[in-house]
Protein backbone atom coordinates (compact mmCIF):
# COMPACT_ATOMS: atom_id res chain seq x y z
CA UNK A 1 0.00 0.00 0.00
CA UNK A 2 2.79 2.41 0.88
CA UNK A 3 4.51 1.60 -2.40
CA UNK A 4 1.44 2.55 -4.46
CA UNK A 5 0.94 5.66 -2.35
CA UNK A 6 4.51 6.74 -3.12
CA UNK A 7 3.96 6.11 -6.83
CA UNK A 8 0.82 8.25 -6.68
CA UNK A 9 2.73 11.07 -4.98
CA UNK A 10 5.49 10.94 -7.60
CA UNK A 11 2.95 11.02 -10.44
CA UNK A 12 1.12 13.88 -8.79
CA UNK A 13 4.36 15.88 -8.41
CA UNK A 14 5.28 15.29 -12.06
CA UNK A 15 1.80 16.38 -13.14
CA UNK A 16 2.09 19.61 -11.14
CA UNK A 17 5.54 20.20 -12.63
CA UNK A 18 4.16 19.72 -16.16
CA UNK A 19 1.32 22.14 -15.43
CA UNK A 20 3.76 24.71 -14.07
CA UNK A 21 5.83 24.43 -17.22
CA UNK A 22 2.75 24.72 -19.41
CA UNK A 23 1.67 27.80 -17.52
CA UNK A 24 5.02 29.56 -17.87
CA UNK A 25 3.90 32.77 -19.61
CA UNK A 26 7.30 33.50 -21.14
CA UNK A 27 7.65 30.04 -22.68
CA UNK A 28 4.06 30.12 -23.90
CA UNK A 29 4.55 33.54 -25.48
CA UNK A 30 7.79 32.46 -27.15
CA UNK A 31 6.08 29.36 -28.55
CA UNK A 32 3.17 31.49 -29.77
CA UNK A 33 5.57 33.80 -31.59
CA UNK A 34 7.33 30.82 -33.19
CA UNK A 35 3.96 29.45 -34.35
CA UNK A 36 2.97 32.81 -35.83
CA UNK A 37 6.28 33.08 -37.67
CA UNK A 38 5.70 29.59 -39.10
CA UNK A 39 2.22 30.69 -40.21
CA UNK A 40 3.76 33.80 -41.74
CA UNK A 41 6.22 31.75 -43.80
CA UNK A 42 3.41 29.50 -45.06
CA UNK A 43 1.25 32.51 -45.91
CA UNK A 44 4.10 34.15 -47.82
CA UNK A 45 4.62 30.96 -49.82
CA UNK A 46 0.89 30.75 -50.58
CA UNK A 47 0.84 34.43 -51.56
CA UNK A 48 3.71 33.94 -53.98
CA UNK A 49 1.94 30.98 -55.59
CA UNK A 50 -1.42 32.76 -55.90
CA UNK A 51 0.27 35.87 -57.28
CA UNK A 52 1.96 33.69 -59.89
CA UNK A 53 -1.43 32.30 -60.93
CA UNK A 54 -2.95 35.80 -60.97
CA UNK A 55 -0.17 37.08 -63.23
CA UNK A 56 -0.57 34.12 -65.60
CA UNK A 57 -4.36 34.61 -65.72
CA UNK A 58 -3.89 38.30 -66.47
CA UNK A 59 -1.39 37.56 -69.23
CA UNK A 60 -3.73 34.89 -70.69
CA UNK A 61 -6.62 37.38 -70.65
CA UNK A 62 -4.61 39.93 -72.55
CA UNK A 63 -3.34 37.31 -74.99
CA UNK A 64 -6.83 35.95 -75.75
CA UNK A 65 -8.16 39.50 -76.15
CA UNK A 66 -5.37 40.21 -78.64
CA UNK A 67 -6.13 36.98 -80.54
CA UNK A 68 -9.85 37.79 -80.68
CA UNK A 69 -9.03 41.21 -82.09
CA UNK A 70 -6.63 39.62 -84.58
CA UNK A 71 -9.28 37.14 -85.84
CA UNK A 72 -11.75 40.01 -86.15
CA UNK A 73 -9.31 41.95 -88.31
CA UNK A 74 -8.56 38.90 -90.47
CA UNK A 75 -12.27 38.26 -91.10
CA UNK A 76 -12.73 41.91 -92.15
CA UNK A 77 -9.71 41.83 -94.49
CA UNK A 78 -10.91 38.63 -96.14
CA UNK A 79 -14.39 40.05 -96.77
CA UNK A 80 -12.87 43.25 -98.17
CA UNK A 81 -10.73 41.24 -100.60
CA UNK A 82 -13.84 39.35 -101.78
CA UNK A 83 -15.64 42.67 -102.12
CA UNK A 84 -12.84 43.97 -104.36
CA UNK A 85 -12.89 40.77 -106.42
CA UNK A 86 -9.49 39.65 -105.25
CA UNK A 87 -10.93 36.46 -103.71
CA UNK A 88 -13.77 34.11 -104.40
CA UNK A 89 -16.74 35.17 -102.33
CA UNK A 90 -17.65 31.62 -101.27
CA UNK A 91 -14.08 30.96 -100.12
CA UNK A 92 -13.97 34.35 -98.48
CA UNK A 93 -17.16 33.62 -96.56
CA UNK A 94 -15.79 30.27 -95.41
CA UNK A 95 -12.51 31.74 -94.18
CA UNK A 96 -14.19 34.73 -92.60
CA UNK A 97 -16.57 32.39 -90.79
CA UNK A 98 -13.63 30.30 -89.51
CA UNK A 99 -11.91 33.49 -88.31
CA UNK A 100 -15.06 34.54 -86.48
CA UNK A 101 -15.28 31.08 -84.87
CA UNK A 102 -11.68 31.46 -83.67
CA UNK A 103 -12.53 34.92 -82.43
CA UNK A 104 -15.44 33.50 -80.42
CA UNK A 105 -13.24 30.80 -78.92
CA UNK A 106 -10.62 33.40 -77.95
CA UNK A 107 -13.28 35.58 -76.36
CA UNK A 108 -14.53 32.60 -74.35
CA UNK A 109 -10.99 31.90 -73.17
CA UNK A 110 -10.60 35.61 -72.42
CA UNK A 111 -13.78 35.59 -70.30
CA UNK A 112 -12.62 32.47 -68.44
CA UNK A 113 -9.15 33.90 -67.82
CA UNK A 114 -10.66 37.19 -66.73
CA UNK A 115 -12.78 35.39 -64.13
CA UNK A 116 -9.80 33.41 -62.88
CA UNK A 117 -7.73 36.59 -62.70
CA UNK A 118 -10.39 38.28 -60.57
CA UNK A 119 -10.60 35.28 -58.24
CA UNK A 120 -6.82 35.14 -57.88
CA UNK A 121 -6.65 38.89 -57.23
CA UNK A 122 -9.28 38.48 -54.50
CA UNK A 123 -7.23 35.68 -52.94
CA UNK A 124 -4.09 37.81 -53.15
CA UNK A 125 -5.84 40.66 -51.33
CA UNK A 126 -7.08 38.29 -48.60
CA UNK A 127 -3.65 36.71 -48.15
CA UNK A 128 -1.96 40.11 -47.99
CA UNK A 129 -4.46 41.18 -45.32
CA UNK A 130 -3.80 38.00 -43.32
CA UNK A 131 -0.04 38.44 -43.66
CA UNK A 132 -0.30 42.03 -42.44
CA UNK A 133 -2.32 40.89 -39.42
CA UNK A 134 0.21 38.15 -38.64
CA UNK A 135 3.08 40.66 -38.84
CA UNK A 136 1.24 43.06 -36.53
CA UNK A 137 0.52 40.24 -34.06
CA UNK A 138 4.15 39.11 -34.12
CA UNK A 139 5.33 42.66 -33.44
CA UNK A 140 2.73 43.05 -30.67
CA UNK A 141 3.65 39.76 -29.00
CA UNK A 142 7.39 40.42 -29.25
CA UNK A 143 6.90 43.78 -27.50
CA UNK A 144 4.73 42.15 -24.85
CA UNK A 145 7.36 39.44 -24.41
CA UNK A 146 10.03 42.08 -23.73
CA UNK A 147 7.76 43.73 -21.17
CA UNK A 148 6.94 40.36 -19.62
CA UNK A 149 10.61 39.41 -19.28
CA UNK A 150 11.38 42.77 -17.66
CA UNK A 151 8.48 42.31 -15.23
CA UNK A 152 9.70 38.81 -14.36
CA UNK A 153 13.19 40.15 -13.61
CA UNK A 154 11.79 42.89 -11.38
CA UNK A 155 9.39 40.55 -9.57
CA UNK A 156 12.12 37.93 -9.07
CA UNK A 157 14.55 40.50 -7.69
CA UNK A 158 11.87 41.96 -5.42
CA UNK A 159 10.87 38.50 -4.22
CA UNK A 160 14.48 37.59 -3.39
CA UNK A 161 15.04 40.84 -1.50
CA UNK A 162 11.79 40.47 0.44
CA UNK A 163 12.64 36.83 1.18
CA UNK A 164 16.03 37.83 2.55
CA UNK A 165 14.46 40.57 4.62
CA UNK A 166 11.84 38.15 5.93
CA UNK A 167 14.50 35.62 6.90
CA UNK A 168 16.51 38.18 8.88
CA UNK A 169 16.10 37.67 12.66
CA UNK A 170 16.42 41.16 14.10
CA UNK A 171 16.83 39.97 17.68
CA UNK A 172 19.63 37.53 16.83
CA UNK A 173 21.31 40.19 14.70
CA UNK A 174 21.24 42.71 17.54
CA UNK A 175 22.51 40.07 19.97
CA UNK A 176 25.36 39.22 17.62
CA UNK A 177 26.28 42.89 17.30
CA UNK A 178 26.25 43.30 21.08
CA UNK A 179 28.57 40.31 21.47
CA UNK A 180 30.88 41.76 18.85
CA UNK A 181 30.91 45.11 20.69
CA UNK A 182 31.71 43.37 23.98
CA UNK A 183 34.54 41.46 22.32
CA UNK A 184 35.95 44.63 20.78
CA UNK A 185 35.71 46.45 24.11
CA UNK A 186 37.48 43.56 25.81
CA UNK A 187 40.26 43.52 23.23
CA UNK A 188 40.71 47.29 23.53
CA UNK A 189 40.89 47.06 27.35
CA UNK A 190 43.41 44.22 27.13
CA UNK A 191 45.56 46.24 24.71
CA UNK A 192 45.44 49.21 27.09
CA UNK A 193 46.44 46.99 30.04
CA UNK A 194 49.45 45.63 28.17
CA UNK A 195 50.40 49.19 27.32
CA UNK A 196 50.27 50.22 30.99
CA UNK A 197 52.39 47.22 31.98
CA UNK A 198 54.95 48.06 29.31
CA UNK A 199 55.12 51.68 30.38
CA UNK A 200 55.33 50.69 34.05
CA UNK A 201 58.27 48.35 33.46
CA UNK A 202 60.06 50.94 31.44
CA UNK A 203 59.64 53.58 34.17
CA UNK A 204 61.12 51.29 36.86
CA UNK A 205 64.19 50.58 34.70
CA UNK A 206 64.72 54.27 34.14
CA UNK A 207 64.46 54.98 37.88
CA UNK A 208 66.96 52.23 38.71
CA UNK A 209 69.44 53.48 36.09
CA UNK A 210 69.12 56.97 37.44
CA UNK A 211 69.59 55.86 41.04
CA UNK A 212 72.72 53.84 40.23
CA UNK A 213 74.90 55.49 37.62
CA UNK A 214 76.41 52.31 36.26
CA UNK A 215 78.44 54.11 33.61
CA UNK A 216 80.14 56.41 36.16
CA UNK A 217 80.85 53.53 38.53
CA UNK A 218 82.48 51.54 35.76
CA UNK A 219 84.61 54.54 34.79
CA UNK A 220 85.84 54.96 38.40
CA UNK A 221 86.84 51.30 38.54
CA UNK A 222 88.68 51.52 35.21
CA UNK A 223 90.58 54.64 36.38
CA UNK A 224 91.67 52.99 39.61
CA UNK A 225 92.97 49.93 37.75
CA UNK A 226 94.90 52.08 35.31
CA UNK A 227 96.63 54.09 38.08
CA UNK A 228 97.52 50.87 39.85
CA UNK A 229 99.24 49.60 36.71
CA UNK A 230 101.22 52.86 36.40
CA UNK A 231 102.27 52.74 40.03
CA UNK A 232 100.45 55.85 40.74
CA UNK A 233 99.10 56.22 44.21
CA UNK A 234 95.72 57.76 44.74
CA UNK A 235 96.09 58.06 48.54
CA UNK A 236 95.21 61.36 49.98
CA UNK A 237 96.57 61.88 53.52
Amino acid sequence: MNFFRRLFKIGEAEAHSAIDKMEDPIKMTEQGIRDMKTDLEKSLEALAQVKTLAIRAKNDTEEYASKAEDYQQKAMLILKKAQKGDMDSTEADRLAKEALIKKEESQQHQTRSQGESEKFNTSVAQLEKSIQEIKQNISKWENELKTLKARVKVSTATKNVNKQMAEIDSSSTVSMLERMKDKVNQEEALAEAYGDIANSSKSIDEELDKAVDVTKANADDDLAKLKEQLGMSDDKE
Side-chain angles (χ1 to χ4, degrees), residues 117-197:
S117 178
E118 290 175 357
K119 288 180 181 179
F120 291 142
N121 287 333
T122 300
S123 298
V124 167
Q126 291 175 347
L127 283 170
E128 287 179 340
K129 182 180 179 182
S130 298
I131 288 172
Q132 186 62 29
E133 289 179 357
I134 293 174
K135 287 182 178 179
Q136 290 176 352
N137 286 332
I138 289 174
S139 177
K140 174 186 175 183
W141 280 86
E142 284 180 338
N143 290 332
E144 290 189 2
L145 179 60
K146 291 179 182 178
T147 303
L148 188 60
K149 286 183 176 180
R151 289 176 60 189
V152 168
K153 287 183 179 179
V154 172
S155 63
T156 301
T158 304
K159 180 188 71 176
N160 291 336
V161 171
N162 290 338
K163 183 179 179 182
Q164 291 176 356
M165 294 296 294
E167 291 176 350
I168 292 177
D169 185 353
S170 59
S171 60
S172 63
T173 302
V174 172
S175 176
M176 180 180 65
L177 289 175
E178 290 296 330
R179 288 197 300 271
M180 289 181 65
K181 286 171 63 177
D182 290 340
K183 185 174 180 60
V184 171
N185 290 334
Q186 183 179 355
E187 292 293 330
E188 289 177 347
L190 185 60
E192 185 177 354
Y194 279 126
D196 290 342
I197 292 172

Side-chain angles (χ1 to χ4, degrees), residues 46-132:
L47 176 61
Q49 294 174 357
V50 175
K51 273 192 171 183
T52 300
L53 296 174
I55 292 171
R56 290 182 60 182
K58 179 177 177 292
N59 292 337
D60 289 344
T61 301
E62 294 175 352
E63 183 179 354
Y64 287 128
S66 177
K67 284 184 177 181
E69 182 65 23
D70 183 59
Y71 287 127
Q72 175 72 16
Q73 292 295 326
K74 287 179 179 179
M76 291 176 61
L77 291 173
I78 290 171
L79 292 176
K80 285 182 180 180
K81 287 184 71 174
Q83 186 179 11
K84 292 179 181 179
D86 295 336
M87 180 181 291
D88 181 69
S89 60
T90 302
E91 182 66 12
D93 288 346
R94 185 183 69 82
L95 291 175
K97 185 178 180 181
E98 291 293 336
L100 291 175
I101 291 173
K102 290 289 186 182
K103 171 192 172 184
E104 180 65 22
E105 290 176 354
S106 296
Q107 286 179 335
Q108 289 177 359
H109 289 308
Q110 177 187 353
T111 301
R112 177 182 54 79
S113 297
Q114 180 67 35
E116 291 177 351
S117 178
E118 290 175 357
K119 288 180 181 179
F120 291 142
N121 287 333
T122 300
S123 298
V124 167
Q126 291 175 347
L127 283 170
E128 287 179 340
K129 182 180 179 182
S130 298
I131 288 172
Q132 186 62 29

Side-chain angles (χ1 to χ4, degrees), residues 7-42:
L7 283 179
F8 176 76
K9 289 294 183 182
I10 293 173
E12 186 180 14
E14 291 179 350
H16 286 306
S17 177
I19 292 173
D20 291 338
K21 291 180 180 178
M22 288 175 61
E23 293 178 351
D24 188 337
I26 291 180
K27 291 182 179 179
M28 291 180 66
T29 304
E30 290 174 340
Q31 183 59 49
I33 292 173
R34 286 193 293 269
D35 292 341
M36 283 189 286
K37 287 184 176 180
T38 300
D39 292 339
L40 177 60
E41 291 178 0
K42 293 179 180 178

Side-chain angles (χ1 to χ4, degrees), residues 204-226:
I204 292 173
D205 289 338
E206 289 177 350
E207 290 177 4
L208 291 173
D209 290 340
K210 186 177 181 180
V212 179
D213 192 348
V214 176
T215 303
K216 184 177 180 182
N218 290 338
D220 290 340
D221 291 341
D222 291 340
L223 179 60
K225 290 179 180 180
L226 183 60

